[in-house]
Amino acid sequence: MAVRVGVLGATGAVGQRLIQLLDPHPEFEIAALTASEDSAGKTYRQAAKWRVDSPIPDDVADITVSATDPAAVPDDVDLLFSSLPSSVGADVEPAFCEAGYVVSSNSSNARMADDVPLVIPEVNAEHLDLLEVQRDERGWDGALVKNPNCSTITFVPTLAALAEYGLETVHVATLQAVSGAGYDGVSSMEIIDNAIPHIGGEEDKLETESRKLLGEFDGAELSHDEVTVSASCNRIPTIDGHLENVWVETEEELSAAKAAEEMAAYPSIDLRSSPDQLIHVFDAPDRPQPRLDRTLGDGMAVAAGGLQETPDGLQYNCLAHNTIRGAAGASVLNGELLLENGYL
Ligand SMILES: NC(=O)c1ccc[n+]([C@@H]2O[C@H](COP(=O)([O-])OP(=O)(O)OC[C@H]3O[C@@H](n4cnc5c(N)ncnc54)[C@H](OP(=O)(O)O)[C@@H]3O)[C@@H](O)[C@H]2O)c1
């Protein structure tokens, strides 16, 4: 029987992607949708300005949107996918967990909390067991798991593939699509014919979340990896797909050819939404490109290319679909991991 799920923030950019991925999902059945007070009481069709590249599912369109409040969500819903603004998530996600719901969240609040697992299943699935610590400490029947920021998800799998060579220093410059800011995020007058070399708070997320993801969990505590990560984030006028330029220094010598081999061989995980090949490595130096490569693996793969040796180490480029791999798909994959590991 499918698990009954809900979406918090269902009308937004990530919420709509979640609906698109969850509607055909055989393990999950959409049973509740929430948004702001402005949308509550309307049907989903009325409340959501549908902008995803497939029709709004009929059965979902007729669901009445509720307020984002535990009292408004049916008790028989077991799993909630959250795509709320982080300021809202910070208040309401703990209330849902306390009320017994398991929450798989995209929002940035609490990602760095010591007892909240931050998970990319192909990279650090074992961190999910931090939920035992969380439940002990907070006394929750529910649970809170996070996926990282969209630009963190793009480059961390490539680092994980190289970790055995000893990661010392990483520099990353991002070229991020406008959908990463949500529908109301960047005005067309700001971004057309332009690039904006600042995204508030984003650099810090890449620098800290990557170290948590690459850290080790000993069953009681999570230690963060010691690699130094420095990031610079730029908004560019693409719709979807974050492209990133990465420079890596490793303790052990690592050639570009060997790094390409390690990335291509990096294993995926046996979950429905995980792609068979996690990292696609291009030989062509001008790939990956957002328009051409963001839908690899149904938008759940990471692409890498342009691997070359530098005087200090390696340089390469990587790309992932920010609202699928970087947000909604990441959250659904964490939902599958929660199910697989008996947390639902
Ligand atoms: N876009 C991306 O690529 C991406 C990637 C990774 C993570 N994220 C994170 O995912 C979250 C959602 O991003 P988004 O781009 O989907 O944002 P968005 O398009 O602005 O959507 C926000 C959603 O939250 C709801 N909401 C707003 N204020 C609320 C309130 N006070 N109470 C309850 N619901 C409220 C909105 O409902 P109404 O329609 O009723 O206003 C809408 O459903 C953010 O935390 C963002 O940082 C986004």
Side-chain angles (χ1 to χ4, degrees):
M1 233 172 61
V3 173
R4 285 167 65 79
V5 304
V7 179
L8 311 179
T11 50
V14 177
Q16 293 187 20
R17 279 282 182 206
L18 277 165
I19 303 291
Q20 185 188 41
L21 297 176
L22 290 170
D23 185 61
H25 200 295
E27 288 164 330
F28 300 133
E29 178 195 347
I30 299 173
L33 304 174
T34 84
S36 74
E37 293 292 346
D38 290 345
S39 301
K42 297 179 182 163
T43 63
Y44 187 66
R45 191 190 303 280
Q46 291 168 328
K49 201 164 177 189
W50 187 255
R51 292 163 164 118
V52 174
D53 51 357
S54 61
I56 185 168
D58 280 337
D59 45 342
V60 177
D62 295 333
I63 294 177
T64 301
V65 175
S66 325
T68 304
D69 178 340
V73 173
D75 290 343
D76 64 354
V77 169
D78 288 320
L79 174 62
L80 296 169
F81 294 98
S82 171
S83 56
L84 293 164
S86 55
S87 55
V88 180
D91 283 340
V92 303
E93 287 175 352
F96 277 100
C97 298
E98 202 166 342
Y101 298 96
V102 174
V103 179
S104 172
S105 168
N106 274 292
S107 311
S108 60
N109 54 288
R111 279 191 193 137
M112 297 305 294
D114 288 345
D115 64 348
V116 174
L118 180 68
V119 179
I120 301 174
E122 297 93 337
V123 171
N124 64 334
E126 68 284 1
H127 288 196
L128 193 72
D129 288 338
L130 194 54
L131 289 181
E132 303 296 341
V133 176
Q134 183 188 91
R135 282 178 162 168
D136 274 357
E137 285 181 358
R138 304 204 191 201
W140 286 346
D141 289 331
L144 179 62
V145 60
K146 294 273 167 176
N147 56 257
N149 175 270
C150 42
S151 39
T152 309
I153 294 185
T154 303
F155 82 128
V156 165
T158 63
L159 296 182
L162 308 181
E164 66 180 280
Y165 295 85
L167 299 170
E168 279 189 327
T169 309
V170 175
H171 292 92
V172 54
T174 69
L175 302 149
Q176 297 183 217
V178 291
S179 61
Y183 286 124
D184 300 327
V186 190
S187 82
S188 53
M189 287 295 282
E190 272 183 285
I191 197 67
I192 293 173
D193 185 31
N194 206 6
I196 302 171
H198 174 71
I199 303 175
E202 196 83 345
E203 280 106 1
D204 182 59
K205 290 176 189 160
L206 275 83
E207 291 165 2
T208 57
E209 292 176 12
S210 53
R211 289 159 48 103
K212 183 171 180 181
L213 287 157
L214 294 169
E216 295 212 353
F217 178 54
D218 66 6
E221 269 184 41
L222 183 72
S223 56
H224 296 203
D225 196 273
E226 289 186 355
V227 61
T228 307
V229 180
S230 308
S232 170
C233 297
N234 302 277
R235 185 77 68 198
I236 61 161
T238 45
I239 296 290
D240 288 317
H242 290 349
L243 179 63
E244 303 185 353
N245 311 127
V246 186
W247 290 259
V248 180
E249 289 172 43
T250 51
E251 279 160 33
E252 278 178 45
E253 207 171 285
L254 177 61
S255 68
K258 188 69 188 163
E261 204 180 291
E262 297 286 3
M263 286 185 193
Y266 189 74
S268 191
I269 194 170
D270 190 17
L271 292 173
R272 186 172 295 275
S273 299
S274 189
D276 293 339
Q277 172 95 35
L278 179 62
I279 306 176
H280 288 250
V281 181
F282 286 95
D283 288 333
D286 62 350
R287 303 286 286 275
Q289 296 179 17
R291 188 152 46 86
L292 301 182
D293 302 317
R294 62 193 168 204
T295 56
L296 278 169
D298 291 331
M300 287 297 283
V302 171
L307 282 109
Q308 56 182 327
E309 286 142 35
T310 68
D312 301 324
L314 282 178
Q315 196 276 319
Y316 59 89
N317 307 313
C318 57
L319 170 87
H321 195 300
N322 55 296
T323 60
I324 303 179
R325 177 81 238 192
S331 192
V332 171
L333 193 56
N334 279 348
E336 293 168 4
L337 187 69
L338 285 159
L339 183 60
E340 174 81 14
N341 284 267
Y343 284 101
L344 300 175

